[in-house]
């Protein structure tokens, strides 16, 4: 169906080709998964199928890509539109119209299908994707999972024979991801659509793949094969495969079900081993509370304006409380109650994972903790201060937030300039930010433009900027979006270190594996209310949606991560 | 009612507005015609009572029939813009004076002495009641026009107007709509980046803040526009059909010739001597250009998904607006004094009965247009004093 013949792609101004030596054939009706560390050219490879590379992005493509008999060199993306449906990483950037039904029809209108055909296909697609109730809704009002489904639906209506998806589930909560994957399953099984998709969250998708294409390193030739074979050699693999390798299972299991079947022996071996101790908030406060800046340096006028806030800071400081306390917090946005009666305490050295579906109020809670959002009810106290009423300059040394899009934090042209600015903002000694950057991001030059960093590097830079103020409370919003396993492992290491130093960490995430690795406590939010709050093991193991794969495989034993199991086995051996 | 219950029930059922969905949605054009009718009526009068009534009618219909889609919220913005226009008109009048003669001095501002060459320009000086009343009426007229446009904007999705464009213009129309989304996206970016500044402990206001976030905002908006363009391309935007060269050339000739005709005709109409050939030339140009567009539509392979239908309700909505406009024009011819209350000397405006009754025809859409489905709870409180929120009670049953 798709044939790559000695394809290589080189963008202008780069020394090495982004892709080279791609010689592959994707058979019709298969679900093919594209895996590899970030920055190896997965998106570029996907782009060559729809013709967007090189017709839209520029760059030089040598070799040939033939899709359904059409050569992408001679066919522009619009001339492949009836054959290939493409959904990019950000569904919002995909939408052309503003209601669901129009969006589903847009592609067919461009292709000039007859009105009665369009009508029938829109109805079918609404049913297929479970969108019938949303048909008249403006797209901007939908949740992330719904938007992703609309984006997929909008490329399905012209009945393409090939579907190309770039990270379709990365931004989704576990339940919404299941929804999207179920739809893809159905397309492959019932309609014989060929699906080519790239995804970092392998634990969600690898079990559905018929074939896996591994791009091992930038510019290296890809390897294609059955999922179990490829997972053995892949530098990125999901916990289930990791556990399978550890236990020496053959064939390598890819789904929790397969693994459970073979896990009897492992469970027995582990039964004798020491039961997994839930990770403890071991370290006690070692982060010293920063003194409240006396008169901060701004001009007389600014000082006049902020005098009130400072007065309050000074008054509150003597009783500064290292524990973050949220009591009865309510936040309203217009008519919507984003948070209701939320009560939460975070002690120094503790790591808390906030989970819950898209739109449950996780980001709002983080916003209230950092002072971006003013509570409509209840109180928030961070270091004894109310964040929304305190001068940002004072707050930055008490609480730091790495937002969902780390790029928002970066304004300067070079890494060095960012660091200098961060030192000034936080009133830290010169060079303290640069030292953090070198620690978190070894090998990044001073003159690098933040835009040229990879997703993971950018996150690390933003983290360093935030940490410059040495805030005792660190908040991260969806930190693993777009990170590969290696970048994630580095992040886990860094955050563990910070927790051990006494930083309190709150992370909002959909990534159950990350929560299992890091969190001492898990708080689950639903519709703006706290529905569960307890030690990670207890909250997560009992939940089908939020349990990590290791827990599912080894239940009823309470193992959460592969590294715990590895530790126990090594200790036992 | 008791005489023929069957017919009455049927009639009532036919009049009873159905719940709106995609199938019975009024064409955007109907709402625009209605709103332009009201606007035309507003442009014909300076009577503040009539203008207030027009604004009230528009506000009531908006309150009764708007959805909670993002574009429906623009009404409030237009009302504020209207108030701003009134205020601005008054301020100009106070400081720059006015040509309206008047004898009732309200107060005297110190006058700025100006050199000879600036004769006729005055800054400060005497402010009369007549001049204030005149500018107030004038400002209200402009505000009413704006509010009518705002009503159309919040009742009809502007993007849906595209569906009524001729095929040859559709693609240009989409480009315009995508370009228009640039602005709201940029506003969203500014908000996001300002909160991000706070995260780095910097003040969020001030000139430096704006300068620092300006570039990232522009970059972000540009990137998004490029992403949408890529998506449109991959989804078949701009596919063209093969047409014979003869047809292509004819299209070009017709379109260009038609446009030239329109230009020449307009010039003729405006110039003093050319009134004789102006109108026919303009019409001929229009017809030729339309034919060119029509022929040009052949190049486009697009089809349309569920175009809005002009049903009885659409005609009623459009005609109610047209009726208001016609009645006001007619009233202006018959009884101009009633529509333009005296300014010199100032006289209390009187509500002329018949024109006022005619304006009320504009309420018809609030009865016949399909009712948008009520989403979570009651609708938003109207930003406008006129009219209560609920629909006429009996209709709900």
């Amino acid at each position: 169906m798709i044939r790559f013949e000695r394809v290589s792609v080189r963008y202008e101004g780069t020394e090495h080709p982004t892709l080279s030596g791609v010689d592959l054939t994707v058979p019709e009706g298969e679900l093919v998964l594209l895996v590899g560390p970030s920055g190896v050219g997965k998106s570029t490879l996907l782009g060559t199928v729809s013709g967007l590379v090189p017709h839209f992005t520029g760059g030089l493509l040598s070799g040939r890509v033939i899709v359904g008999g059409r050569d992408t060199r001679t066919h522009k993306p619009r001339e492949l539109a009836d054959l290939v449906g493409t959904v990019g990483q950000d569904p919002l950037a995909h939408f052309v119209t503003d209601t669901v039904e129009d969006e589903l029809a847009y592609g067919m209108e461009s292709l000039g299908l007859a009105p009665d055909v369009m009508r029938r296909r829109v109805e079918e697609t609404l049913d297929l994707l479970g969108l019938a109730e949303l048909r008249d809704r403006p797209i901007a009002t939908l949740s992330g999972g719904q938007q992703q489904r609309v984006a997929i639906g909008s490329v399905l209506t012209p009945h393409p024979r090939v579907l190309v998806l770039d990270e379709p589930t990365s931004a989704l909560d576990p339940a919404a991801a299941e929804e999207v994957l179920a739809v893809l399953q159905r397309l492959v099984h019932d309609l014989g659509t060929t699906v080519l998709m790239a995804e970092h969250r392998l634990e969600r998708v690898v079990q559905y793949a018929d074939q896996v294409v591994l791009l091992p390193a930038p510019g290296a030739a890809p390897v294609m094969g059955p999922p179990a074979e490829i997972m053995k050699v892949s530098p990125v693999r999901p916990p289930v495969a990791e556990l399978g390798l550890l236990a020496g299972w053959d064939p390598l299991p890819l789904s929790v079900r397969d693994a459970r079947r073979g896990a009897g022996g492992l469970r027995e071996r582990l039964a004798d081993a020491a039961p997994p101790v839930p990770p403890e908030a071991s370290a006690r406060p070692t982060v010293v509370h920063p003194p409240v800046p006396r008169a901060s340096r701004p001009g007389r006028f600014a000082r006049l304006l902020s005098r009130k806030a400072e007065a309050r800071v000074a008054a509150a400081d003597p009783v500064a409380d290292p524990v973050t306390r949220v009591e009865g917090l309510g936040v309203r946005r217009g008519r919507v109650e984003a948070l209701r009666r939320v009560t939460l305490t975070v002690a120094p050295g503790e790591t808390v994972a906030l989970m819950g579906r898209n739109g449950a109020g996780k980001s709002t809670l983080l916003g209230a903790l950092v002072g971006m959002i003013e509570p409509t009810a209840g109180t928030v106290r961070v270091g004894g201060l109310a964040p929304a009423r305190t001068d940002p300059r004072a707050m930055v040394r008490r609480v730091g937030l790495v937002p969902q899009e780390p790029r928002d934090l970066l304004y300067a042209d070079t890494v060095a300039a960012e660091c200098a600015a961060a030192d000034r903002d936080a009133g830290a000694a010169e060079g303290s930010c640069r030292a953090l950057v070198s620690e978190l991001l070894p090998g990044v030059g001073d003159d690098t433009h933040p835009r040229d960093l990879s997703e993971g590097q950018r996150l690390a830079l933003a983290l360093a900027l935030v940490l410059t103020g040495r805030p005792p409370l660190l908040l991260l919003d969806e930190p693993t979006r777009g990170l590969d396993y290696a970048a994630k492992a580095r992040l886990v290491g860094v955050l563990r270190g910070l927790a051990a130093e006494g930083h309190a960490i709150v992370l909002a995430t959909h990534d159950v594996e990350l929560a299992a690795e890091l969190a001492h406590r898990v708080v689950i939010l639903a519709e703006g209310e706290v529905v569960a709050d307890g030690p990670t093991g207890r909250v997560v193991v009992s939940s089908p949606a939020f349990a990590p794969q290791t827990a599912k495989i080894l239940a009823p034993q309470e193992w959460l991560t592969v590294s715990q199991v590895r530790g126990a086995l090594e200790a036992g051996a | 009612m008791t005489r023929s219950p069957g017919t009455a029930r049927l009639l009532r059922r036919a009049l009873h507005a159905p719940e709106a969905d995609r199938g019975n949605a009024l064409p955007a054009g109907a709402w625009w015609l209605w709103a332009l009718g009201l606007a035309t009526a507003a442009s014909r009068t300076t009577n503040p009572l009539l203008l207030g009534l027009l604004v009230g009618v528009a506000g009531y219909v908006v309150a009764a029939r708007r959805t909670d889609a993002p574009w429906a919220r623009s009404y409030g913005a237009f009302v504020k813009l209207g108030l701003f226009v009134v205020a601005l008109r008054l301020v100009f009048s106070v400081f720059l004076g006015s040509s309206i003669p008047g004898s009732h001095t309200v107060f005297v501002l110190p006058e700025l002495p100006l050199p000879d060459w600036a004769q006729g320009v005055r800054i400060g000086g005497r402010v009369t009641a007549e001049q204030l009343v005149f500018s107030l009426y004038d400002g209200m007229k402009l505000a009413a026009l704006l509010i009518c446009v705002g009503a159309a904007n919040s009742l009809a999705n502007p993007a849906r107007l595209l569906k009524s464009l001729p095929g040859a213009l559709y693609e240009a129309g989409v480009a315009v709509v995508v370009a228009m989304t640039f602005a709201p996206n940029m506003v969203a970016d500014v908000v996001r980046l300002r909160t991000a500044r706070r995260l780095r402990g910097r003040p969020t206001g001030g000139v430096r803040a704006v300068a620092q976030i300006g570039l990232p905002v522009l970059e972000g908006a540009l990137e998004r526009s490029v992403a949408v363009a890529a998506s449109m391309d991959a989804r078949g935007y701009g596919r063209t059909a093969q047409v014979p060269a003869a047809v292509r050339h004819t299209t070009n000739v017709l379109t260009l010739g038609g446009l030239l005709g329109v230009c020449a005709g307009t010039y003729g109409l405006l110039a003093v001597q050319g009134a004789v050939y102006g109108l026919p030339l303009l019409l001929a140009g229009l017809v030729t250009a339309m034919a060119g567009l029509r022929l040009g539509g052949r190049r486009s392979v697009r089809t349309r998904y569920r175009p809005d239908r002009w049903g009885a309700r659409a005609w009623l909505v459009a005609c109610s607006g047209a009726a208001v406009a016609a009645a006001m024009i007619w009233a202006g011819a018959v009884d101009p004094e009633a529509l333009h209350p005296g300014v010199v000397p100032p006289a209390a405006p009187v509500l002329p009965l018949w024109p006022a009754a005619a304006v009320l025809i504009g309420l018809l859409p609030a009865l016949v247009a399909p009712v948008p489905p009520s989403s979570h709870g009651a609708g938003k409180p109207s930003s406008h004093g006129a009219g209560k929120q609920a629909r006429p009670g009996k209709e709900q049953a």
Side-chain angles (χ1 to χ4, degrees), chain A residues 260-310:
Chain A
R260 270 196 77 84
R261 282 190 187 141
L266 182 64
R267 271 200 293 263
E268 269 168 35
R269 274 166 73 192
L270 286 170
D272 307 332
V277 192
E280 282 219 5
S282 48
R284 286 301 138 203
T286 52
V287 177
V288 187
H289 253 270
V292 172
R294 288 293 148 212
S296 32
R297 266 145 304 233
R300 204 172 294 157
F301 184 58
R303 213 155 50 205
L304 194 70
L305 286 179
S306 62
R307 185 182 292 162
K308 230 191 252 169
E310 271 183 44

Side-chain angles (χ1 to χ4, degrees), chain A residues 324-344:
Chain A
T324 302
R325 295 177 199 281
V326 176
E327 261 158 49
L329 173 66
V331 173
R332 278 179 61 143
R333 285 218 179 104
R335 206 176 293 283
V336 184
E337 283 192 292
L339 288 178
R340 263 181 295 222
R341 298 181 295 279
V342 171
T343 297
L344 181 73

Side-chain angles (χ1 to χ4, degrees), chain A residues 52 56 77-82 84 86 93-96 98-99 101-103 105-113 115 118-119 122-123 135-136 138 140 154-155 335 370-372 387-388 390 392-393 395-396 401 403 407-411 418 421-422 425 451 465, chain B residues 20-22 68-71 73 157 159-160 163 170 174 177-178 192-204 212-213 215-216 219-220 223-224 226-240 301-306 376 378-381:
Chain A
L52 286 174
F56 200 88
R78 69 187 74 147
E79 287 149 10
L80 293 165
D82 54 326
V84 183
T86 312
H94 173 91
F95 298 129
V96 183
D98 40 28
T99 62
E101 209 175 333
D102 285 329
E103 190 62 35
Y106 179 81
M108 294 188 290
E109 288 183 319
S110 303
L111 299 179
L113 296 181
M118 290 201 278
R119 185 70 200 273
V122 166
E123 298 299 331
R135 60 189 306 162
D136 288 327
S154 71
V155 298
R335 206 176 293 283
V370 85
M372 288 188 319
T390 311
R393 267 167 300 214
M395 221 51 227
V396 79
L401 169 69
R407 194 191 301 181
D408 289 354
L409 280 187
L410 312 175
Y411 318 99
E418 287 293 359
D425 290 338
R451 185 167 294 272
L465 297 180
Chain B
D21 60 27
R22 177 67 192 243
D68 49 4
W71 55 85
R73 294 181 204 136
N157 180 354
R160 289 287 277 278
K163 296 234 166 199
Y170 181 87
V174 172
V177 167
V178 170
R192 226 186 52 229
L193 285 169
R194 281 189 56 172
T195 53
R197 273 183 72 80
R198 188 189 162 94
L199 294 181
R200 290 191 61 172
R202 299 181 192 178
T204 48
Q212 274 184 343
I213 60 177
L215 203 61
E219 272 176 351
E223 255 169 40
R224 197 161 21 224
V226 170
V228 172
S231 150
M232 285 165 65
D233 199 11
R235 291 166 73 188
Y237 170 83
R239 273 164 83 108
T240 47
V301 293
R302 291 193 65 81
T303 46
R304 280 176 200 177
Y305 174 75
R306 294 184 82 178
H376 39 81
K380 294 184 182 88

Side-chain angles (χ1 to χ4, degrees), chain A residues 219-512:
Chain A
V223 190
M224 185 163 171
E229 297 301 311
I230 297 289
M231 280 305 115
K232 278 184 191 161
V233 295
S234 166
V236 291
R237 57 174 89 96
V240 59
E242 199 82 51
L243 193 68
L245 277 184
L246 180 68
W249 289 326
D250 194 55
L252 198 63
L254 295 174
S255 68
V256 170
R257 188 158 179 258
D258 290 344
R260 270 196 77 84
R261 282 190 187 141
L266 182 64
R267 271 200 293 263
E268 269 168 35
R269 274 166 73 192
L270 286 170
D272 307 332
V277 192
E280 282 219 5
S282 48
R284 286 301 138 203
T286 52
V287 177
V288 187
H289 253 270
V292 172
R294 288 293 148 212
S296 32
R297 266 145 304 233
R300 204 172 294 157
F301 184 58
R303 213 155 50 205
L304 194 70
L305 286 179
S306 62
R307 185 182 292 162
K308 230 191 252 169
E310 271 183 44
R312 209 171 291 134
V313 169
D317 191 49
V319 285
D321 177 0
V323 180
T324 302
R325 295 177 199 281
V326 176
E327 261 158 49
L329 173 66
V331 173
R332 278 179 61 143
R333 285 218 179 104
R335 206 176 293 283
V336 184
E337 283 192 292
L339 288 178
R340 263 181 295 222
R341 298 181 295 279
V342 171
T343 297
L344 181 73
T345 53
V346 186
E350 193 175 29
T351 304
V352 176
L354 284 179
M355 306 188 79
R357 60 177 88 85
N358 295 83
K362 301 187 295 292
S363 299
T364 310
L365 180 53
L366 294 188
L369 281 173
V370 85
M372 288 188 319
I373 295 168
E374 180 127 24
T376 37
T379 55
V380 180
R381 286 280 175 279
V382 175
L385 302 175
R389 305 253 177 92
T390 311
D391 182 25
R393 267 167 300 214
M395 221 51 227
V396 79
R397 308 185 57 182
R398 290 183 166 67
V399 52
L401 169 69
V402 180
Q404 217 169 73
E405 187 56 76
R407 194 191 301 181
D408 289 354
L409 280 187
L410 312 175
Y411 318 99
D413 290 339
T414 62
V415 171
E418 287 293 359
C419 285
D423 288 340
R424 267 200 312 281
D425 290 338
E430 213 162 295
S432 49
C433 174
R434 180 62 231 191
L436 277 166
V437 170
S438 318
E439 191 186 317
L440 297 178
L441 255 185
V444 166
D446 267 348
D447 323 328
T448 318
H449 195 291
R451 185 167 294 272
D452 295 334
L453 299 176
S454 78
E455 201 83 28
Q457 289 173 322
R458 220 178 286 142
L459 177 77
L461 178 58
L463 187 60
L465 297 180
V466 167
L467 285 176
T468 306
R470 306 214 53 81
L473 175 63
L474 178 64
L475 312 172
L476 298 114
D477 196 352
E478 211 53 66
T480 57
R481 195 171 158 187
L483 293 196
D484 58 18
Y485 287 100
K488 226 162 94 173
R490 272 201 303 279
L491 178 71
V492 167
V494 169
L495 292 183
R496 277 211 183 121
L498 289 172
E501 282 173 31
H503 288 270
I505 301 176
V506 178
L507 31 99
T509 184
H510 292 315
D511 189 334
V512 293

